[in-house]
Amino acid sequence: MNENIIPHTFQISIKDRRVGNKHNSFLIWFTGLSGSGKSTIANAVELELFNKGIKTYILDGDNIRKGINKDLSFSPEDRTENIRRIAETANLMIDAGLVVLAAFVSPYKKDRENIKNIVKDVNFVEVYVNTSIEECEKRDVKGLYKKARAGEIQNMTGISAPYQAPESADIDIKTENTTVEVAVKQIIDFITPKLKLENE
Ligand SMILES: Nc1ncnc2c1ncn2[C@@H]1O[C@H](COP(=O)(O)OS(=O)(=O)O)[C@@H](OP(=O)(O)O)[C@H]1O
Ligand SMILES: Nc1ncnc2c1ncn2[C@@H]1O[C@H](COP(=O)(O)OP(=O)(O)O)[C@@H](O)[C@H]1O
Protein backbone atom coordinates (compact mmCIF):
# COMPACT_ATOMS: atom_id res chain seq x y z
CA MET A 1 0.00 0.00 0.00
CA ASN A 2 1.39 3.37 -1.05
CA GLU A 3 0.39 5.14 2.17
CA ASN A 4 2.55 2.66 4.11
CA ILE A 5 5.67 3.54 2.15
CA ILE A 6 7.49 6.27 4.04
CA PRO A 7 10.53 7.69 2.24
CA HIS A 8 13.88 7.91 4.01
CA THR A 9 15.77 11.17 4.01
CA PHE A 10 19.36 10.51 2.99
CA GLN A 11 22.21 12.81 3.85
CA ILE A 12 23.52 13.36 0.34
CA SER A 13 21.01 15.40 -1.65
CA ILE A 14 20.56 16.00 -5.36
CA LYS A 15 22.07 19.45 -4.76
CA ASP A 16 25.19 17.89 -3.18
CA ARG A 17 25.59 15.61 -6.17
CA ARG A 18 25.16 18.49 -8.63
CA VAL A 19 27.71 20.58 -6.76
CA GLY A 20 30.08 17.57 -6.69
CA ASN A 21 29.75 17.19 -10.47
CA LYS A 22 29.99 20.98 -10.96
CA HIS A 23 26.92 21.01 -13.21
CA ASN A 24 23.17 20.72 -13.14
CA SER A 25 21.40 17.45 -13.93
CA PHE A 26 18.42 17.09 -16.29
CA LEU A 27 16.91 15.05 -19.09
CA ILE A 28 17.27 15.60 -22.83
CA TRP A 29 14.47 13.64 -24.50
CA PHE A 30 14.70 12.79 -28.23
CA THR A 31 11.44 11.84 -29.96
CA GLY A 32 10.92 10.91 -33.61
CA LEU A 33 10.22 8.08 -36.01
CA SER A 34 12.40 4.99 -36.21
CA GLY A 35 15.39 5.95 -38.36
CA SER A 36 14.83 9.68 -37.86
CA GLY A 37 18.28 10.12 -36.28
CA LYS A 38 17.61 10.10 -32.52
CA SER A 39 20.46 7.72 -31.59
CA THR A 40 22.92 9.29 -34.02
CA ILE A 41 22.34 12.80 -32.66
CA ALA A 42 22.11 11.72 -28.98
CA ASN A 43 25.39 9.86 -29.37
CA ALA A 44 27.14 12.90 -30.87
CA VAL A 45 25.74 15.23 -28.18
CA GLU A 46 26.88 12.85 -25.43
CA LEU A 47 30.39 12.68 -26.89
CA GLU A 48 30.64 16.48 -26.87
CA LEU A 49 29.35 16.71 -23.28
CA PHE A 50 31.57 13.84 -22.08
CA ASN A 51 34.63 15.54 -23.56
CA LYS A 52 33.74 18.66 -21.55
CA GLY A 53 33.73 16.61 -18.35
CA ILE A 54 29.94 16.48 -17.98
CA LYS A 55 28.58 13.29 -16.35
CA THR A 56 26.14 11.74 -18.84
CA TYR A 57 24.23 8.57 -19.65
CA ILE A 58 22.19 7.50 -22.70
CA LEU A 59 18.96 5.54 -22.35
CA ASP A 60 17.79 3.95 -25.59
CA GLY A 61 16.18 0.86 -27.06
CA ASP A 62 19.18 -1.39 -26.57
CA ASN A 63 19.60 -0.90 -22.83
CA ILE A 64 15.88 -0.58 -22.09
CA ARG A 65 13.81 -2.79 -24.41
CA LYS A 66 16.35 -5.63 -24.10
CA GLY A 67 16.50 -5.27 -20.31
CA ILE A 68 14.12 -3.63 -17.86
CA ASN A 69 11.32 -3.40 -20.48
CA LYS A 70 11.79 -6.69 -22.30
CA ASP A 71 8.27 -7.70 -21.25
CA LEU A 72 6.69 -4.85 -23.27
CA SER A 73 5.30 -4.89 -26.83
CA PHE A 74 4.49 -2.02 -29.20
CA SER A 75 0.79 -1.82 -28.33
CA PRO A 76 -0.34 1.68 -27.24
CA GLU A 77 -0.68 0.52 -23.60
CA ASP A 78 2.79 -1.05 -23.54
CA ARG A 79 4.36 2.01 -25.18
CA THR A 80 2.80 4.12 -22.41
CA GLU A 81 4.28 1.83 -19.76
CA ASN A 82 7.62 1.80 -21.61
CA ILE A 83 7.85 5.60 -21.50
CA ARG A 84 6.65 5.77 -17.88
CA ARG A 85 9.37 3.36 -16.68
CA ILE A 86 12.03 5.16 -18.72
CA ALA A 87 10.96 8.51 -17.23
CA GLU A 88 11.16 7.04 -13.71
CA THR A 89 14.62 5.63 -14.50
CA ALA A 90 15.72 8.99 -15.90
CA ASN A 91 14.41 10.66 -12.76
CA LEU A 92 16.68 8.50 -10.59
CA MET A 93 19.61 9.37 -12.83
CA ILE A 94 18.80 13.09 -12.57
CA ASP A 95 18.77 12.56 -8.80
CA ALA A 96 22.20 10.93 -9.13
CA GLY A 97 23.49 14.13 -10.78
CA LEU A 98 23.64 13.07 -14.43
CA VAL A 99 22.67 14.68 -17.70
CA VAL A 100 20.48 11.95 -19.18
CA LEU A 101 19.89 11.59 -22.91
CA ALA A 102 16.87 9.44 -23.82
CA ALA A 103 16.14 8.40 -27.41
CA PHE A 104 12.72 6.82 -27.89
CA VAL A 105 10.07 6.98 -30.59
CA SER A 106 7.61 8.05 -27.85
CA PRO A 107 4.80 8.64 -30.36
CA TYR A 108 2.01 9.71 -28.00
CA LYS A 109 1.69 13.30 -26.76
CA LYS A 110 0.12 12.26 -23.47
CA ASP A 111 3.07 9.95 -22.71
CA ARG A 112 5.54 12.75 -23.38
CA GLU A 113 3.49 15.10 -21.18
CA ASN A 114 3.68 12.50 -18.41
CA ILE A 115 7.50 12.56 -18.55
CA LYS A 116 7.31 16.21 -17.45
CA ASN A 117 5.14 15.23 -14.49
CA ILE A 118 7.66 12.58 -13.44
CA VAL A 119 10.92 14.54 -13.83
CA LYS A 120 9.39 18.03 -13.45
CA ASP A 121 9.17 20.58 -16.28
CA VAL A 122 12.38 22.35 -15.34
CA ASN A 123 14.41 19.15 -15.82
CA PHE A 124 12.98 18.32 -19.25
CA VAL A 125 14.31 19.36 -22.65
CA GLU A 126 12.37 18.00 -25.61
CA VAL A 127 14.15 17.50 -28.93
CA TYR A 128 11.98 16.61 -31.91
CA VAL A 129 14.04 14.74 -34.48
CA ASN A 130 11.82 15.81 -37.32
CA THR A 131 12.36 13.49 -40.28
CA SER A 132 9.57 12.59 -42.70
CA ILE A 133 8.28 9.05 -42.91
CA GLU A 134 9.35 9.02 -46.57
CA GLU A 135 12.96 9.75 -45.61
CA CYS A 136 12.95 7.27 -42.69
CA GLU A 137 11.57 4.61 -45.00
CA LYS A 138 14.23 5.43 -47.60
CA ARG A 139 16.96 5.11 -44.93
CA ASP A 140 15.36 1.96 -43.47
CA VAL A 141 18.40 1.53 -41.22
CA LYS A 142 17.14 -1.73 -39.69
CA GLY A 143 14.94 -3.04 -42.52
CA LEU A 144 11.85 -2.63 -40.32
CA TYR A 145 9.84 -0.51 -42.79
CA LYS A 146 10.27 -3.17 -45.48
CA LYS A 147 9.02 -5.78 -43.02
CA ALA A 148 6.12 -3.54 -41.98
CA ARG A 149 5.08 -3.02 -45.64
CA ALA A 150 5.22 -6.80 -46.08
CA GLY A 151 2.91 -7.20 -43.07
CA GLU A 152 5.60 -8.94 -41.02
CA ILE A 153 5.61 -6.23 -38.29
CA GLN A 154 2.39 -4.94 -36.72
CA ASN A 155 1.92 -1.49 -35.13
CA MET A 156 4.91 0.03 -36.95
CA THR A 157 5.03 3.74 -36.12
CA GLY A 158 4.39 5.84 -39.23
CA ILE A 159 3.00 2.89 -41.19
CA SER A 160 0.36 1.12 -39.10
CA ALA A 161 0.58 3.06 -35.83
CA PRO A 162 0.40 6.84 -35.28
CA TYR A 163 3.14 9.36 -34.52
CA GLN A 164 1.81 12.50 -32.82
CA ALA A 165 4.39 15.17 -33.61
CA PRO A 166 5.30 17.69 -30.88
CA GLU A 167 3.91 21.17 -31.52
CA SER A 168 6.25 23.12 -29.26
CA ALA A 169 9.42 21.11 -28.75
CA ASP A 170 12.34 23.05 -27.27
CA ILE A 171 14.40 22.09 -30.31
CA ASP A 172 13.09 20.95 -33.70
CA ILE A 173 15.68 19.36 -35.98
CA LYS A 174 14.78 18.79 -39.61
CA THR A 175 17.44 16.23 -40.42
CA GLU A 176 16.71 16.33 -44.15
CA ASN A 177 18.36 19.73 -44.29
CA THR A 178 20.45 19.84 -41.08
CA THR A 179 23.75 18.00 -40.63
CA VAL A 180 24.49 16.07 -37.43
CA GLU A 181 27.16 18.67 -36.57
CA VAL A 182 24.70 21.56 -36.86
CA ALA A 183 22.08 19.65 -34.85
CA VAL A 184 24.62 19.01 -32.08
CA LYS A 185 25.57 22.69 -31.97
CA GLN A 186 21.89 23.68 -31.76
CA ILE A 187 21.38 21.34 -28.79
CA ILE A 188 24.62 22.28 -27.00
CA ASP A 189 23.81 26.00 -27.39
CA PHE A 190 20.35 25.43 -25.90
CA ILE A 191 21.46 23.35 -22.92
CA THR A 192 24.68 25.16 -21.97
CA PRO A 193 22.92 27.77 -19.77
CA LYS A 194 20.99 24.94 -18.10
CA LEU A 195 24.22 23.22 -17.04
CA LYS A 196 25.13 26.14 -14.76
CA LEU A 197 24.42 25.70 -11.08
CA GLU A 198 22.46 28.37 -9.21
CA ASN A 199 24.63 31.17 -7.75
CA GLU A 200 27.46 30.46 -10.21
N1 LIG B 1 6.25 -1.60 -34.28
C1 LIG B 1 7.31 -0.84 -34.07
N2 LIG B 1 7.18 0.52 -34.07
C2 LIG B 1 8.27 1.29 -33.83
N3 LIG B 1 9.51 0.81 -33.59
C3 LIG B 1 9.68 -0.53 -33.57
C4 LIG B 1 8.60 -1.41 -33.81
N4 LIG B 1 9.05 -2.69 -33.71
C5 LIG B 1 10.36 -2.63 -33.42
N5 LIG B 1 10.75 -1.34 -33.34
C6 LIG B 1 12.12 -0.95 -32.95
O1 LIG B 1 12.02 -0.53 -31.59
C7 LIG B 1 12.49 0.79 -31.42
C8 LIG B 1 11.40 1.68 -30.80
O2 LIG B 1 11.29 1.41 -29.44
P1 LIG B 1 10.86 2.56 -28.44
O3 LIG B 1 10.98 1.99 -27.09
O4 LIG B 1 11.64 3.78 -28.77
O5 LIG B 1 9.33 2.77 -28.89
S1 LIG B 1 8.19 3.54 -28.10
O6 LIG B 1 8.77 4.79 -27.58
O7 LIG B 1 7.70 2.68 -27.02
O8 LIG B 1 7.13 3.80 -29.10
C9 LIG B 1 12.83 1.34 -32.78
O9 LIG B 1 14.15 1.83 -32.61
P2 LIG B 1 14.67 3.15 -33.31
O10 LIG B 1 14.80 2.78 -34.76
O11 LIG B 1 16.00 3.39 -32.65
O12 LIG B 1 13.70 4.27 -33.09
C10 LIG B 1 12.73 0.17 -33.74
O13 LIG B 1 14.01 -0.26 -34.10
N1 LIG C 1 21.11 14.91 -40.34
C1 LIG C 1 21.07 13.67 -39.83
N2 LIG C 1 20.88 13.48 -38.50
C2 LIG C 1 20.82 12.24 -37.99
N3 LIG C 1 20.93 11.11 -38.72
C3 LIG C 1 21.12 11.23 -40.06
C4 LIG C 1 21.18 12.51 -40.66
N4 LIG C 1 21.35 12.34 -42.00
C5 LIG C 1 21.41 11.01 -42.19
N5 LIG C 1 21.27 10.32 -41.04
C6 LIG C 1 21.32 8.85 -40.94
O1 LIG C 1 20.03 8.41 -40.55
C7 LIG C 1 20.15 7.24 -39.75
C8 LIG C 1 19.43 7.46 -38.42
O2 LIG C 1 19.48 6.29 -37.67
P1 LIG C 1 19.33 6.29 -36.10
O3 LIG C 1 20.18 7.37 -35.50
O4 LIG C 1 19.56 4.89 -35.65
O5 LIG C 1 17.80 6.70 -35.93
P2 LIG C 1 16.81 6.41 -34.73
O6 LIG C 1 17.64 6.29 -33.49
O7 LIG C 1 15.91 7.60 -34.72
O8 LIG C 1 16.10 5.14 -35.08
C9 LIG C 1 21.63 6.96 -39.56
O9 LIG C 1 22.05 6.00 -40.52
C10 LIG C 1 22.26 8.34 -39.86
O10 LIG C 1 23.58 8.22 -40.36
Side-chain angles (χ1 to χ4, degrees):
M1 295 298 249
N2 267 357
E3 67 267 24
N4 293 332
I5 297 172
I6 296 129
H8 271 283
T9 309
F10 294 104
Q11 271 185 291
I12 309 294
S13 68
I14 180 171
K15 189 164 176 233
D16 295 327
R17 293 181 205 280
R18 285 171 166 173
V19 169
N21 287 346
K22 301 189 181 63
H23 59 76
N24 224 328
S25 59
F26 53 87
L27 169 64
I28 310 171
W29 187 277
F30 297 80
T31 174
L33 294 167
S34 173
S36 58
K38 302 181 296 297
S39 308
T40 302
I41 297 170
N43 182 50
V45 170
E46 181 178 47
L47 187 63
E48 179 117 358
L49 292 173
F50 187 85
N51 287 338
K52 288 181 183 183
I54 310 289
K55 309 285 184 232
T56 59
Y57 194 74
I58 294 190
L59 297 172
D60 83 349
D62 278 343
N63 53 26
I64 295 290
R65 276 196 175 270
K66 289 192 174 162
I68 193 171
N69 286 354
K70 65 179 174 194
D71 57 323
L72 299 179
S73 73
F74 288 91
S75 70
E77 298 74 24
D78 278 10
R79 289 187 202 241
T80 296
E81 177 60 7
N82 182 44
I83 301 308
R84 187 194 68 80
R85 289 185 202 169
I86 295 158
E88 291 288 359
T89 305
N91 199 34
L92 295 175
M93 292 182 159
I94 293 170
D95 228 13
L98 305 182
V99 173
V100 186
L101 301 96
F104 295 91
V105 174
S106 43
Y108 296 113
K109 254 183 219 164
K110 71 167 173 44
D111 294 346
R112 295 192 303 264
E113 277 304 306
N114 194 38
I115 305 165
K116 283 193 229 171
N117 297 333
I118 293 171
V119 306
K120 296 185 192 62
D121 263 27
V122 67
N123 293 325
F124 181 75
V125 174
E126 186 173 51
V127 180
Y128 176 24
V129 185
N130 186 349
T131 310
S132 67
I133 182 68
E134 291 76 17
E135 175 66 16
C136 292
E137 197 167 354
K138 212 188 301 166
R139 291 180 190 169
D140 207 2
V141 185
K142 300 170 182 168
L144 294 177
Y145 289 104
K146 195 163 172 241
K147 284 190 188 166
R149 291 288 184 201
E152 292 162 26
I153 294 181
Q154 315 307 315
N155 286 330
M156 181 67 195
T157 306
I159 305 288
S160 45
Y163 179 78
Q164 299 172 346
E167 278 149 21
S168 55
D170 296 300
I171 306 168
D172 183 321
I173 298 166
K174 295 179 180 59
T175 70
E176 280 143 282
N177 50 33
T178 311
T179 62
V180 176
E181 292 70 29
V182 169
V184 170
K185 186 172 182 320
Q186 226 176 310
I187 296 168
I188 296 287
D189 286 351
F190 185 86
I191 65 164
T192 296
K194 287 182 172 287
L195 287 166
K196 285 213 176 102
L197 292 167
E198 277 169 42
N199 306 324
E200 258 193 346

